[in-house]
Amino acid sequence: MQDFVQELRLIEKKWQEEWRKARIFESDPDERPKFFITIPYPYLNGNLHVGHCRTFTIGDAVARYKRMCGFNVLFPMGFHVTGTPIIGLAELIAKRDERTIEVYTKFHDVPEDVLLTLTTPEKIVEYFSQEAMKALKDIGYSIDWRRVFTTTDEPYQRFIEWQYWKLKEKGLIVKGSHPVRYCPNDENPVEDHDLLMGEEATIVDFTVIKLYSFDEELGKIVFPCATLRPETVFGVTNIWVKPTKYVLAKVDGEVWFVSKEASEKLKYQEKKVEVIREVDAKEFVGKLVVNPILAGMLIDKILDDLKEFDEKLYERLSKIEDEDERLRAVVNEIVNGNLARILIDLFGRAKAEGGEKFDIMRRIVVPILPAEFVDTDNATGVVMSVPAHAPYDYVALEDLKKKDEILRQFGIDRSLIEIEPIALIRIEGEKYKVPAVEVSKELGIESQKQRDLLDKATKIVYKKEFHKGVLLETTGKYAGMLVSKIKDVLQKDLIEIGVGDVFYEFSEKPVVCRCGTKCVVKVVRDQWFLNYSNPEWKSKVLEWLEEMTIIPDYYKEEFRNKIEWLKDKACARRKGLGTRIPWDKEWLIESLSDSTIYMAYYILAKFINEGKLKAENMTPEFLDYVLLGIGDAEKASQSSGLDVETVEKIRREFLYWYPVDLRSSGKDLVANHLLFFLFHHIAIFPKEHWPRAIAVNGYVSLEGKKMSKSKGPLLTMKRAVAENGADVTRLYILHAAEYDSDADWRKKDVESLAGHLRRFYNLVKEHYTKERKELDQLDRWLLSRFQKAVKETRDAMEKLQTRRAVNAAFFEVMNDVRWYLRRGGDNLVVILDDWLKLLAPFIPHICEELWHLKHDTFISLESYPEFDESKVDEKAEAVEDYIRRFMEDVKEVMKFVEEPKEVYVAFAEEWKSEVLKIASQTGSMKEAMSKIMKDEKFRAMAKDVSAFLKRVFKDREMFAVMDELNEREIIEENLEFLERELGVKIILDESKVPDDKRRSAMPGKPAIYVVG
RNA sequence: GCGGGGGUUGCCGAGCCAGGAAAAGGCGCGGGGCUUAAGACCCCGUCCCGAAGGGGUCCGCGGGUUCAAAUCCCGCCCCCCGCACCA
């Protein structure tokens, strides 16, 4: 086999060189219709591998197919190097990181002495782009290499700057802040591959709701309660702290009571934090805090009581009619005035008096209680207790009620904890009134130490409430809203009125950086964002999506969802290779954000590489004109320093090639690159230049294992081609899987495929130069079958189903050819021209080589075979089917006879053909029966007729063609073949066939009697 | 949790959207041919039963619709992928 691969490699090199010399893949505008296909340019922090190979080969097969279908195809390629990984790699190589050296020598096949010199990003880019180009040429892609570029090229940077100015002008770039995973030690955001632990963790935003206490010494103290369910603020009965050390800290001017951990974390979240002193939470247990929201909602019930505390305050509040406004005023008095203190005093009095007023006051003012389940390393370390809806809260509270010694120890007044849960959510279609209580009881939870059960209960309650929960009257103006919709609304409202905040926290812990430091969530401020949440932008993209072709089609839904989900994206970074934001040079444009409309750059790249267009020519006026048609050639010429003619030429070429007809990509890029690709085209270009189609394909694994660039295993494209040949590699990867399902690279299967290709190669070589003979029945069968292969292949290629295409064009034709030869066909040459063309997009080198045995044109430029219906010969196909079936049946029967020698054949009685003829004109069994029974002759034998008809309708397809065939003739004509294949003598003498067998014969299934 | 895709005969993998074959193809395994022999190649078999081309059971689990379901409907279980600022 190695010999064959070596021979292949020589053939491949030869034709690659011929193609290059003849420049057949260099595409310039002409009168043909154009087809512009692009593939995402690869990121060069390593060698191209067989995963790239899949996406690229699909692209190349389509490019070659379309070219042969008469399109002027543009298939360009560039290289992506902006971003951080290349810098990271250079650093690792520079410091001789062992693991990196191992992976790059072992898997990326970089010779060690070369690798060790790659200590700067520039050297890495230089080396890997050369290697990539070699690999892409080695496999014979039909790329127009005049257009290659790298994303750090100066002209490219001009192009990106132009794009960003455009987006800025359109108001699509905004400033904002956002949370990132951050390492305090490295003082940098931490990327996925720099994590030691916690890769699964996501950043969640807790809503912080501030409750207020009052202290003689420090004044107001804020108890910032963190929750994922802000709506539960309406059902707070107390707050929980863990009986351990906390801190009092000045946070943006207010005094906050938070866990020590939280005081550290807050510093990274845009907060100014000054720790005043460490405190023991026990000191605060039993003290009271004011819930400003409830105070605002219930103020009218206690307004009169305020009069004696503060008359002016009373005046101010009682004047306000509007409920919402009053709530805001109350909150304001708590936050900025001394209403909190008054309410706490009022609570004391109401408690002494008891009664209804106390019931009201205890909703506004709640006690601080101790609980062991509180995690000080989660958010602020202070939580609200909502026993109606949180099993932990309910159980902890019940726990506390039972434990007098704890109450004594903390000096908690028992009357403070005689608390009833306050329900605020109704669950649609469920019996629960106070879910946390009922579910806890159902599960038999007794103590807050039963964490497993409590977690389970919490899950049940949260799930039901989230999906089917509706807010009750207790939530004031939010009543009637769905729980699933409330979070964002309420968080926003709380922040707006001044008692809410956001605390970012990891969903799982710990999250540890490679350096060993625990990561925190940091809020980056004043970052530039692409405003993908912009509703007009979004809806334009959504509308255009409906016009597009997405392959496979169910990905359209996926795209729809992802477009909806896409939020503003930070497009600026501090570190990495790339282009600076033109109006804020501190920042680099993030590397996915500079790869959105670069397909347009391929048109410019040709001129740049020819030296006709330089970075300094690429002025905004020039780009405006050639890419958008804004302004005119004169102005563009003046501004750029290019002559008008060149400017016009570039403009014309752009207009010829754009838009992108197909972008074929790996499925991993759907949620990022492909979305941005759509958004940016739609933002920048006029509608006629928006992308037409996107196709996605799956990954490639290695002997069932996932490949990894940074850890291995990995198979480079170059090695795959060197070991197996370009055409073998191509055919394998195209046939290994379809669409988004993943392909597995298996050495054994690849080798077996090489065997198939060798057979094919030898077969064609043997038959191709033979004289054409006149067509006989068998040749017509072959041609007929071949037409179906053509149709199937074309159909599959139109849908980018390379697996189906290869199956039809290669394997199925191969099977037919095998049968054809076995049947003694020796006119194979009649399909060979077309067969080679049919296969040329998949295995271009072999096809080119074989084609040249007879022709001196390039097969790569020939026209693709057309389906020719006149060559379809159903009868010839029926005859072959008959022969095959006959052989199978005879063999089946021969199994039961030792040493079979003679086979006697009897054909079906005449009446059966008659019945069949009538039946074939009817649609149903019933109809056929009634029609047939009109004939007296059949009526006499109704039983037999009905039994036969049943069979006929069971096997309709076979019987459908039978009345056209003369069975006796077929067997007689092929007697020699049949006897040779079956190794018996076949005698068409029905007198030797027993009666019962003869009667069971049917058209298409003669009676067979074997004699030993 | 949300969204998308899946669970097919020893394995890989078609088919299911447009219901009607023990269910393509490949691999593995077994047998035969060819060959001095091995490999390659060609043919046959590979769920169970059957000494005549036949019968039975089968496509995650449980129901339903239908003359007929791997294919349609309902419920359940399980698996994979994405959830971002990273290419």
Side-chain angles (χ1 to χ4, degrees):
Chain A
M1 192 54 68
Q2 268 314 302
D3 294 350
F4 175 64
V5 170
Q6 287 322 311
E7 187 182 349
L8 265 188
R9 293 298 296 134
L10 291 177
I11 292 170
E12 287 163 5
K13 293 252 186 261
K14 174 168 109 198
W15 292 108
Q16 284 159 16
E17 184 56 20
E18 293 294 326
W19 293 332
R20 190 191 61 78
K21 277 197 290 200
R23 300 168 166 249
I24 62 171
F25 303 131
E26 294 183 2
S27 317
D28 290 304
D30 61 24
E31 65 293 338
R32 284 176 295 170
K34 63 94 184 181
F35 189 80
F36 186 15
I37 174 172
T38 67
I39 302 294
Y41 48 24
Y43 187 77
L44 291 183
N45 63 338
N47 271 320
L48 300 184
H49 50 76
V50 286
H52 292 114
C53 185
R54 175 146 180 225
T55 305
F56 297 172
T57 306
I58 291 170
D60 187 56
V62 173
R64 287 175 175 276
Y65 166 74
K66 284 284 178 184
R67 196 176 287 118
M68 291 179 76
C69 288
F71 289 90
N72 187 11
V73 172
L74 176 57
F75 182 42
M77 183 64 74
F79 299 117
H80 189 206
V81 300
T82 40
T84 51
I86 288 179
I87 293 184
L89 179 62
E91 282 165 6
L92 286 170
I93 294 173
K95 70 177 184 204
R96 300 289 186 257
D97 179 79
E98 243 172 74
R99 206 172 152 64
T100 305
I101 308 245
E102 194 198 324
V103 168
Y104 275 79
T105 50
K106 187 170 160 198
F107 295 115
H108 289 265
D109 297 328
V110 182
E112 190 164 345
D113 52 331
V114 176
L115 183 70
L116 295 180
T117 66
L118 306 180
T119 50
T120 66
E122 292 74 26
K123 285 180 190 164
I124 288 178
V125 169
E126 173 61 20
Y127 176 77
F128 283 122
S129 58
Q130 288 306 318
E131 287 297 300
M133 215 133 42
K134 269 189 239 165
L136 295 168
K137 286 177 178 170
D138 245 17
I139 196 166
Y141 292 148
S142 56
I143 291 169
D144 182 351
W145 283 108
R146 298 171 305 162
R147 299 169 190 271
V148 70
F149 71 92
T150 302
T151 52
T152 41
D153 296 346
E154 218 192 320
Y156 188 76
Q157 301 201 13
R158 293 292 93 75
F159 170 73
I160 295 300
E161 286 164 6
W162 171 81
Q163 183 196 165
Y164 271 76
W165 277 121
K166 286 280 140 203
L167 293 168
K168 183 107 192 298
E169 277 167 27
K170 289 171 194 268
L172 297 176
I173 295 187
V174 294
K175 234 177 187 186
S177 48
H178 76 115
V180 296
R181 182 171 53 205
Y182 187 83
C183 172
N185 182 44
D186 296 350
E187 299 183 349
N188 246 321
V190 186
E191 286 158 28
D192 271 357
H193 56 267
D194 282 333
L195 279 178
L196 217 53
M197 278 170 96
E199 213 164 323
E200 297 294 300
T202 56
I203 295 173
V204 290
D205 57 324
F206 282 84
T207 304
V208 171
I209 301 174
K210 295 190 241 176
L211 272 59
Y212 290 79
S213 172
F214 187 81
D215 181 271
E216 291 303 335
E217 180 202 336
L218 292 159
K220 276 190 297 282
I221 300 176
V222 173
F223 283 75
C225 302
T227 179
L228 292 170
R229 304 186 56 195
E231 73 277 12
T232 56
V233 70
F234 300 106
V236 178
T237 60
N238 60 285
I239 65 176
W240 297 116
V241 295
K242 193 177 181 118
T244 181
K245 300 282 184 204
Y246 277 64
V247 296
L248 287 168
K250 240 187 176 154
V251 177
D252 287 351
E254 295 173 323
V255 178
W256 283 27
F257 175 94
V258 290
S259 70
K260 273 200 264 184
E261 295 93 326
S263 71
E264 286 302 314
K265 292 176 193 168
L266 281 167
K267 291 177 187 166
Y268 294 97
Q269 302 195 9
E270 291 193 287
K271 294 270 183 275
K272 195 159 171 266
V273 182
E274 240 176 277
V275 173
I276 299 165
R277 65 161 189 266
E278 196 171 274
V279 289
D280 195 326
K282 288 180 192 130
E283 290 173 31
F284 291 85
V285 167
K287 293 201 169 154
L288 300 165
V289 289
V290 174
N291 181 344
I293 299 298
L294 267 291
M297 280 168 65
L298 300 174
I299 195 72
D300 56 326
K301 297 204 161 83
I302 54 165
L303 207 49
D304 292 341
D305 299 287
L306 292 180
K307 208 168 179 175
E308 57 194 271
F309 285 95
D310 186 336
E311 203 149 332
K312 281 184 187 159
L313 175 66
Y314 169 78
E315 294 289 330
R316 282 204 296 277
L317 292 178
S318 52
K319 258 194 280 181
I320 305 170
E321 296 285 318
D322 182 65
E323 268 183 49
D324 212 44
E325 227 171 281
R326 196 158 56 202
L327 184 138
R328 283 163 190 270
V330 168
V331 168
N332 186 42
E333 294 294 343
I334 292 169
V335 175
N336 298 313
N338 63 346
L339 181 55
R341 182 186 186 172
I342 294 170
L343 288 168
I344 288 169
D345 287 347
L346 194 54
F347 176 88
R349 207 172 73 185
K351 191 176 113 195
E353 287 168 9
E356 199 192 335
K357 185 110 333 145
F358 183 42
D359 288 338
I360 293 167
M361 281 315 295
R362 66 192 308 168
R363 290 195 64 198
I364 299 173
V365 177
V366 298
I368 301 165
L369 298 175
E372 283 300 328
F373 74 83
V374 174
D375 178 3
T376 55
D377 194 19
N378 194 27
T380 55
V382 182
V383 296
M384 304 187 296
S385 169
V386 191
H389 301 285
Y392 268 104
D393 295 343
Y394 168 70
V395 172
L397 207 51
E398 289 303 301
D399 237 8
L400 202 57
K401 286 179 188 171
K402 279 182 257 167
K403 297 199 173 122
D404 285 323
E405 75 276 12
I406 294 183
L407 295 181
R408 263 199 308 279
Q409 184 195 329
F410 287 103
I412 301 169
D413 182 344
R414 180 164 273 282
S415 67
L416 286 180
I417 62 158
E418 294 300 340
I419 295 169
E420 282 304 309
I422 302 159
L424 46 109
I425 292 167
R426 166 169 55 87
I427 305 176
E428 214 66 70
E430 296 267 357
K431 58 183 190 293
Y432 300 110
K433 292 256 182 295
V434 192
V437 176
E438 286 145 318
V439 172
S440 300
K441 282 180 181 160
E442 276 171 24
L443 294 176
I445 302 171
E446 301 274 322
S447 141
Q448 59 180 310
K449 288 186 182 129
Q450 290 168 287
R451 287 198 162 245
D452 286 351
L453 280 176
L454 277 165
D455 285 339
K456 191 174 164 192
T458 303
K459 217 173 162 183
I460 294 172
V461 172
Y462 279 22
K463 199 170 168 179
K464 286 188 193 293
E465 291 186 349
F466 184 78
H467 290 290
K468 298 186 225 161
V470 179
L471 297 178
L472 296 170
E473 284 68 42
T474 27
T475 63
K477 69 169 181 176
Y478 300 100
M481 279 188 73
L482 298 174
V483 172
S484 55
K485 296 264 160 44
I486 186 72
K487 185 188 161 186
D488 292 342
V489 177
L490 198 49
Q491 188 182 73
K492 210 175 126 234
D493 288 358
L494 291 168
I495 292 171
E496 206 222 311
I497 62 173
V499 293
D501 215 318
V502 175
F503 191 109
Y504 294 105
E505 182 64 276
F506 294 120
S507 62
E508 277 169 48
K509 270 174 285 202
V511 177
V512 183
C513 175
R514 187 137 75 178
C515 74
T517 313
K518 259 206 216 168
C519 294
V520 296
V521 180
K522 181 179 163 72
V523 174
V524 182
R525 332 178 49 151
D526 288 342
Q527 175 101 312
W528 294 105
F529 281 81
L530 286 160
N531 189 204
Y532 292 137
S533 63
N534 181 316
E536 287 131 68
W537 197 2
K538 207 167 248 207
S539 62
K540 260 194 193 171
V541 176
L542 278 168
E543 272 168 43
W544 182 247
L545 178 72
E546 298 309 315
E547 306 291 314
M548 291 182 68
T549 303
I550 304 290
I551 300 171
D553 55 7
Y554 49 80
Y555 263 76
K556 195 172 251 191
E557 181 64 19
E558 179 86 348
F559 270 101
R560 229 173 259 140
N561 294 330
K562 298 290 189 222
I563 291 168
E564 301 268 14
W565 151 91
L566 193 66
K567 292 186 265 188
D568 287 0
K569 177 185 154 63
C571 61
R573 295 223 52 183
R574 292 288 186 193
K575 219 178 122 184
L577 298 176
T579 308
R580 297 195 171 275
I581 290 192
W583 60 85
D584 188 355
K585 306 266 186 185
E586 303 261 296
W587 294 95
L588 284 157
I589 292 167
E590 183 272 330
S591 72
L592 291 178
S593 309
D594 79 357
S595 303
T596 57
I597 57 163
Y598 67 87
M599 310 78 209
Y601 186 80
Y602 285 123
I603 284 110
L604 306 176
K606 187 184 86 172
F607 296 93
I608 293 165
N609 291 341
E610 282 171 352
K612 290 182 186 151
L613 180 60
K614 295 194 170 63
E616 65 258 30
N617 305 130
M618 292 175 63
T619 57
E621 291 77 12
F622 166 79
L623 291 168
D624 273 354
Y625 180 68
V626 296
L627 299 178
L628 299 176
I630 296 174
D632 55 58
E634 289 291 342
K635 258 192 256 160
S637 158
Q638 265 169 30
S639 148
S640 65
L642 297 169
D643 55 73
V644 176
E645 206 177 306
T646 308
V647 172
E648 288 288 27
K649 184 159 195 249
I650 297 173
R651 172 68 180 156
R652 274 199 307 276
E653 296 210 358
F654 176 78
L655 286 176
Y656 178 80
W657 291 115
Y658 239 62
V660 173
D661 293 288
L662 173 66
R663 184 151 184 86
S664 181
S665 157
K667 63 181 174 186
D668 49 328
L669 299 184
V670 171
N672 43 63
H673 167 68
L674 291 172
L675 288 189
F676 308 156
F677 164 68
L678 290 179
F679 270 85
H680 287 238
H681 270 89
I682 284 163
I684 301 222
F685 292 103
K687 198 167 187 170
E688 61 270 23
H689 288 158
W690 293 354
R692 295 287 158 82
I694 290 178
V696 299
N697 60 264
Y699 309 122
V700 177
S701 56
L702 222 48
E703 310 289 344
K705 285 202 198 80
K706 240 184 164 164
M707 282 196 292
S708 160
K709 264 188 183 180
S710 59
K711 292 176 191 145
L714 188 99
L715 175 63
T716 64
M717 215 166 112
K718 213 175 152 193
R719 181 192 285 240
V721 170
E723 286 177 358
N724 306 288
D727 282 348
V728 176
T729 305
R730 296 173 61 110
L731 196 64
Y732 183 83
I733 211 87
L734 289 172
H735 185 250
E738 198 91 287
Y739 285 159
D740 64 325
S741 58
D742 299 339
D744 192 26
W745 181 278
R746 288 187 230 182
K747 204 166 185 327
K748 213 168 170 178
D749 291 358
V750 176
E751 277 165 10
S752 133
L753 183 68
H756 282 280
L757 261 185
R758 184 178 60 177
R759 242 162 288 145
F760 164 79
Y761 179 65
N762 291 334
L763 187 75
V764 176
K765 219 159 60 171
E766 185 190 334
H767 288 90
Y768 197 27
T769 46
K770 285 188 185 169
E771 278 299 308
R772 262 180 115 102
K773 297 193 189 82
E774 197 153 321
L775 299 182
D776 65 11
Q777 163 99 2
L778 189 63
D779 299 337
R780 281 199 298 277
W781 172 81
L782 183 66
L783 280 168
S784 178
R785 293 283 305 170
F786 186 76
Q787 287 317 305
K788 293 187 174 171
V790 169
K791 195 175 180 186
E792 175 84 358
T793 307
R794 287 190 87 117
D795 185 55
M797 282 310 283
E798 290 298 328
K799 296 174 184 155
L800 264 78
Q801 290 176 294
T802 60
R803 181 191 166 98
R804 186 155 77 93
V806 167
N807 225 14
F810 186 72
F811 292 100
E812 277 173 24
V813 176
M814 200 69 177
N815 267 341
D816 287 338
V817 166
R818 208 178 293 167
W819 173 255
Y820 173 81
L821 295 175
R822 186 172 161 198
R823 289 275 284 117
D826 67 346
N827 203 7
L828 189 62
V829 65
V830 296
I831 63 160
L832 291 184
D833 271 346
D834 278 348
W835 196 17
L836 288 176
K837 287 191 219 162
L838 197 67
L839 289 168
F842 317 116
I843 45 172
H845 308 89
I846 292 182
C847 291
E848 200 72 80
E849 172 77 9
L850 291 167
W851 178 256
H852 280 260
L853 292 175
K854 272 168 82 169
H855 307 269
D856 49 16
T857 55
F858 285 111
I859 196 170
S860 303
L861 300 180
E862 289 291 320
S863 0
Y864 211 61
E866 303 258 8
F867 172 65
D868 180 352
E869 196 161 8
S870 72
K871 288 191 177 135
V872 174
D873 189 333
E874 298 293 352
K875 195 181 164 204
E877 295 199 32
V879 169
E880 293 307 310
D881 285 347
Y882 180 81
I883 292 172
R884 269 190 227 207
R885 205 165 47 239
F886 179 75
M887 283 169 68
E888 266 167 37
D889 286 350
V890 172
K891 269 184 205 158
E892 184 73 23
V893 180
M894 274 163 51
K895 273 200 307 207
F896 300 101
V897 179
E898 269 181 58
E899 288 196 42
K901 290 199 178 68
E902 290 167 334
V903 172
Y904 292 89
V905 178
F907 298 103
E909 299 136 290
E910 196 48 43
W911 66 265
K912 285 182 180 164
S913 302
E914 276 179 59
V915 167
L916 192 60
K917 206 163 228 153
I918 300 168
S920 68
Q921 290 152 10
T922 61
S924 72
M925 174 106 180
K926 218 170 148 187
E927 197 191 331
M929 198 64 184
S930 67
K931 208 163 171 184
I932 289 160
M933 281 307 144
K934 284 187 184 131
D935 192 322
E936 195 126 346
K937 173 175 75 191
F938 293 133
R939 231 172 331 185
M941 47 191 289
K943 229 174 164 183
D944 290 339
V945 172
S946 129
F948 174 61
L949 260 186
K950 249 187 184 159
R951 261 318 292 271
V952 169
F953 276 87
K954 196 177 157 201
D955 252 333
R956 284 187 90 153
E957 266 180 46
M958 177 192 99
F959 285 107
V961 290
M962 278 325 293
D963 62 295
E964 294 190 23
L965 298 188
N966 183 331
E967 299 182 48
R968 180 178 293 275
E969 224 167 66
I970 294 173
I971 294 183
E972 276 172 352
E973 277 172 12
N974 293 288
L975 202 60
E976 198 191 328
F977 169 74
L978 290 169
E979 289 187 339
R980 188 177 67 236
E981 286 282 330
L982 296 166
V984 288
K985 194 153 176 51
I986 294 168
I987 300 151
L988 299 185
D989 179 356
E990 37 196 274
S991 65
K992 291 279 174 52
V993 180
D995 273 0
D996 59 326
K997 292 210 169 303
R998 204 165 64 202
R999 271 200 301 275
S1000 72
M1002 287 175 292
K1005 269 180 128 36
I1008 291 158
Y1009 183 63
V1010 180
V1011 178

